[in-house]
Amino acid sequence: MFSNAEFQRGLKLFLSPDGKAARMIITHEGDPATPQGISHIDAIRHSAEEAVKGTPLAGSHIYIAGVAATYK
């Protein structure tokens, strides 16, 4: 799988060249610009922090972007 050209192309979209940064795409079910969408940002951050515990990414900086995060 790691030698598959399509997989390699995907890695370039989600991992930095040095392998120290990763991108995750989270899609809201509703409109992220609403109060309900904005209210999800803290839970998203908490989930990301929990997901990296006990991994080589533990202690990483987590940045959230997008409409809901910007409005928050």
Side-chain angles (χ1 to χ4, degrees), residues 47-62:
S47 294
E49 290 168 348
E50 290 296 313
V52 299
K53 282 185 179 178
T55 73
L57 296 174
S60 296
H61 297 283
I62 296 174

Side-chain angles (χ1 to χ4, degrees), residues 17-45:
D18 65 1
K20 294 185 177 184
R23 176 184 300 177
M24 293 182 211
I25 297 177
I26 300 168
T27 305
H28 292 261
E29 276 191 21
D31 184 353
T34 63
Q36 182 183 14
I38 295 166
S39 73
H40 295 154
I41 296 303
D42 290 333
I44 291 170
R45 174 177 298 283

